[in-house]
Amino acid sequence: MLCDHCRERDAVVHLTQIVENAVTQLHLCEKCAAAKGIETTIAMPKHPLGDFLHAAQYPVSPAAGDQTRCAYCETTLRDFRASGRLGCAHCYTAFEGALRELLRRVQGGAKHAGREYTAPVVAGTERETALATLRSQLQQAVVAEEFETAAALRDQIRALE
Amino acid sequence: MTLDLSLLPDGGMPWITASGAHADIVLSSRVRLARNVAGFAFSPRARDGERLLVLQQVREAASHVDLLSQAVLLRLDEMTANERRLLYERHLVSRELAELDAPTARSGSAVLVGEEAALMVNEEDHLRLQVFRSGFDIGGAWERAGRVDRELGATLPLAYHREFGFLTSCPTNVGTGLRASVLVHLPGLVLTQEIGKVLTGLQQMGLTYRGLYGEGSEVVGNFFQISNQTTLGRGEDELCDHLERVVSHVISREEEARRVLIRDAGYIIEDKLWRAYGTLRYARSLGVDEAMNLLSGVRLAVGLKLVAGLSVYTLNKLLVYSQLGHLSLAEGRPLTESEAGLARARHVRGVLAGEGSSA
C-alpha cells in the first residue's frame, strides 16, 4: 500500500481518526507521518538482559577474560556470558571489575542505595547447636547414601567452622 | 500430592476482589523482592541437596515471620504439570518455577502462600517474595514486603554485598532486588492510539512494560504490567514512589481517553463493546487470546457504566478461570487446545448468564 500523502513510499503508519463520529483511515509512510508530527516509534520493550549481554560481549578490561573462574562455584565469565546468570554470591567478587562497569551501563549505577543489611551472626552456643544439627544431618545423609545432600551439608559445616 | 486450592487463603489471589482503588483500571499492584541465602550456590547452579536444604531453612525462618507463619507450603516438585500450571495462572509462581513443559519440577521448587504475602523458593533466586494488593496500592504492597523481608533476614542469613546490595542470580535484579509492578487495563489509550506515546514515555522514565503474565508474555486484552526497570542506585521508597507517580499519570491519561471516546465516538464504542459482550455471551468456542480481548471490551463497558449488573470482581475471576489449567481442573481432565475452546465458551456463557446484565 502506498502512502496517501506522497504516493511514492510504502505506507507503514495506519492512522484511524474519528471526526464527528465518522471514522477515516489514513495510511502514511514514515517520512510523511513524521512531517505531520505523528508519533511513529512505538519502541519495543527492551529486554534489560539483552543490553547487558551485549555489553558483556565487550569486556572492559582485557584481564577480565573468559577464563576468569569463581573459586566457589566454578562458574567462568564465559558461562556467565552464555547464560546471563551468575552462579553464586562469590561470583560478584570474582568478576567484580567487569561487573561494576556493566552494572553502571545496565542499571545506571553500581552502588546500592537501598536498605542496608547485616546478616545474623551465628555465634557461641547458637553456632555450636547449628554445627551439631548439621553434623547429625550429614551422618543421616551418608547412611541414606544421599551424597548430594551430604556434600552440601559438608560445605555448610566448613563455612561455619 | 494432590493440590487443594481451597486450602489457600483467598485462593492465593488477594488482588482478585477488585476492592482496591481504581480497580476497574488497575487489576493489581505487586512488590517482589529477590533474595538469596548466604552459603549456597544460586538455585540454577545448586545441587539438588542444596536446594532441599535451602527449602528447609526458608521454612524454618518463615515460621517466625508474622505474615508467613500460617502460610501453606506447596511443593512444586511433587506436583503434576497441570497443578503447577494452576499456580502459574494465579500468578503465584513464575513460568520459570512452574516449568510447564517439564514432567517434574526440580527438587526443592516450592511456594509458601500466606494471606498477604507469598514466597517462591528455588526460582532463579532462592527467594522471591511477592505481595499482591487489589487495585492501585504500591505503598501497601511495599510496606508488607519490607516487613516480611526484615523479619526473614533477621534469622536467615542473606547474600549481601556492601557495594552491590542484595545479590541475585541475574545482575538486572541486584541491589534492592525490588520489582514493583502494576497491572493496568488501558483500552482507552489503545483505541485513541495514544498508547505508543505513553509506552515510549514510560521507557524514558526508567520504567518498562510486559503482558498479563509478566516476563516473556505478550500484551493481550490491553493489559499492561508496568514496572521499574532498574534495581540498583536508588532506594526502595524512591523506586516505589516513582512508579506510583508515573502510573497515577497513566491512569488519568486513560480516564481522559475514555471521556474522549464517549464524547467523540459514543455510539461506535457502545456498539463495539456490546458486540464483545454478545460474542462472550453466546459463542460456542473461544480461543484464549480471543477471550482476553473480548473480556477487555466488556471490562471497558463496565468501567464506562454501559453495562449494569456485572462486577469487576467477576471479570477478574473470568481472566483466571478461563485459562487452560483452570478449565482442565473444572472438567476433571487435561484438555487439548480445541477442547479448551469449547470449555472456555461454556464457562464464560454460564458466568455471564448468571450475572444477568442489562443495557
Side-chain angles (χ1 to χ4, degrees):
Chain A
M1 183 186 293
L2 285 178
C3 169
D4 289 341
H5 194 248
C6 65
R7 303 243 164 240
E8 282 174 14
R9 290 173 289 265
D10 277 343
V12 290
V13 179
H14 308 283
L15 193 65
T16 309
Q17 289 177 315
I18 304 168
V19 183
E20 292 172 5
N21 283 346
V23 180
T24 55
Q25 290 268 344
L26 196 57
H27 309 281
L28 299 171
C29 68
E30 208 163 352
K31 205 169 174 184
C32 294
K36 283 177 176 288
I38 295 160
E39 189 83 34
T40 58
T41 41
I42 299 178
M44 293 307 290
K46 281 195 293 184
H47 195 286
L49 195 60
D51 281 355
F52 187 83
L53 291 176
H54 178 73
Q57 302 296 318
Y58 308 98
V60 186
S61 144
D66 273 5
Q67 301 312 317
T68 310
R69 184 183 292 271
C70 169
Y72 185 85
C73 72
E74 304 198 327
T75 296
T76 60
L77 201 49
R78 183 201 294 266
D79 295 335
F80 169 55
R81 279 182 198 148
S83 69
R85 302 288 184 273
L86 293 156
C88 71
H90 302 275
C91 289
Y92 279 89
T93 314
F95 312 136
E96 194 171 329
L99 272 172
R100 188 171 292 128
E101 185 55 33
L102 295 173
L103 286 172
R104 199 163 288 140
R105 290 199 223 173
V106 182
Q107 294 262 18
K111 182 89 182 76
H112 177 52
R115 175 164 96 84
E116 288 178 15
Y117 173 74
T118 311
V121 183
V122 185
T125 52
E126 268 184 60
R127 182 168 155 275
E128 286 311 314
T129 318
L131 272 174
T133 313
L134 287 170
R135 285 198 189 103
S136 107
Q137 285 175 345
L138 174 61
Q139 207 156 19
Q140 285 169 17
V142 171
V143 171
E145 299 191 353
E146 289 166 356
F147 297 115
E148 286 206 323
T149 311
L153 285 164
R154 188 200 55 217
D155 289 349
Q156 282 234 298
I157 291 168
R158 276 189 195 157
L160 270 180
E161 284 171 344
Chain B
M1 77 185 277
T2 312
L3 174 62
D4 183 355
L5 291 167
S6 67
L7 293 177
L8 301 181
D10 295 327
M13 300 178 286
W15 56 272
I16 206 165
T17 53
S19 54
H22 295 285
D24 65 324
I25 294 178
V26 184
L27 276 84
S28 61
S29 303
R30 181 196 70 150
V31 166
R32 177 274 268 162
L33 293 173
R35 299 286 184 259
N36 284 284
V37 183
F40 296 100
F42 297 151
S43 301
R45 189 88 182 174
R47 291 173 294 230
D48 284 354
E50 284 181 282
R51 293 167 57 98
L52 290 169
L53 274 177
V54 165
L55 176 58
Q56 193 182 323
Q57 296 196 0
V58 169
R59 282 185 72 176
E60 164 62 21
S63 68
H64 304 296
V65 173
D66 183 30
L67 288 177
L68 289 173
S69 59
Q70 304 297 317
V72 178
L73 173 76
L74 300 172
R75 292 281 300 258
L76 277 87
D77 53 1
E78 295 173 356
M79 286 183 194
T80 64
N82 199 57
E83 288 173 329
R84 282 177 269 140
R85 178 179 284 279
L86 290 168
L87 299 179
Y88 166 70
E89 290 175 358
R90 292 188 177 202
H91 299 270
L92 280 169
V93 302
S94 60
R95 179 171 275 277
E96 174 154 340
L97 191 65
E99 289 183 274
L100 298 177
D101 301 323
T104 50
R106 282 192 67 186
S107 285
S109 294
V111 61
L112 272 161
V113 185
E115 268 183 45
E116 297 198 82
L119 201 55
M120 282 191 256
V121 186
N122 283 315
E123 208 248 18
E124 176 184 299
D125 295 301
H126 294 143
L127 296 175
R128 286 283 176 99
L129 164 66
Q130 298 202 90
V131 174
F132 280 99
R133 304 283 296 160
S134 171
F136 191 34
D137 184 16
I138 285 293
W142 163 233
E143 187 275 315
R144 286 162 180 80
R147 188 147 42 103
V148 173
D149 180 43
R150 281 191 302 277
E151 289 177 33
L152 261 183
T155 55
L156 192 65
L158 301 172
Y160 179 83
H161 185 283
R162 269 175 36 197
E163 181 181 347
F164 298 138
F166 290 97
L167 303 180
T168 53
S169 170
C170 182
T172 54
N173 293 314
V174 77
T176 57
L178 179 141
R179 192 84 57 203
S181 63
V182 180
L183 186 56
V184 285
H185 182 231
L186 304 176
L189 290 171
V190 172
L191 284 167
T192 54
Q193 309 201 338
E194 290 282 308
I195 193 72
K197 270 185 256 177
V198 171
L199 297 178
T200 308
L202 288 180
Q203 283 168 339
Q204 286 162 353
M205 309 283 281
L207 302 179
T208 186
Y209 70 93
R210 302 190 166 100
L212 186 56
Y213 278 94
E215 197 159 340
S217 68
E218 299 274 324
V219 171
V220 288
N222 305 316
F223 292 107
F224 297 83
Q225 189 179 301
I226 303 175
S227 63
N228 57 307
Q229 178 138 19
T230 59
T231 54
L232 191 65
R234 290 203 277 178
E236 293 86 355
D237 288 326
E238 194 184 342
L239 289 168
C240 290
D241 289 349
H242 179 62
L243 179 74
E244 191 171 296
R245 262 198 314 277
V246 178
V247 172
S248 292
H249 181 65
V250 173
I251 294 172
S252 21
R253 292 279 296 265
E254 170 65 20
E255 286 169 342
E256 175 60 21
R258 292 179 183 198
R259 278 194 290 275
V260 169
L261 281 172
I262 285 296
R263 189 191 64 205
D264 295 351
Y267 80 89
I268 300 178
I269 293 302
E270 203 172 334
D271 179 64
K272 201 176 161 76
L273 302 186
W274 275 109
R275 280 168 186 270
Y277 179 82
T279 307
L280 287 173
R281 181 76 181 75
Y282 295 105
R284 260 44 192 172
S285 175
L286 287 169
V288 63
D289 285 0
E290 183 187 15
M292 294 298 115
N293 287 323
L294 294 168
L295 284 168
S296 165
V298 174
R299 196 178 182 93
L300 176 60
V302 170
L304 292 174
K305 311 218 175 342
L306 296 174
V307 173
L310 191 57
S311 69
V312 177
Y313 176 37
T314 301
L315 293 172
N316 283 353
K317 279 195 290 189
L318 277 175
L319 283 181
V320 173
Y321 287 88
S322 58
Q323 301 288 338
L324 179 64
H326 281 79
L327 293 169
S328 297
L329 177 71
E331 298 286 320
R333 67 191 172 89
L335 300 177
T336 63
E337 205 35 69
S338 59
E339 288 172 328
L342 300 176
R344 184 174 296 116
R346 198 159 50 234
H347 175 70
V348 174
R349 280 203 311 274
V351 170
L352 292 185
E355 293 263 335
S357 304
S358 54

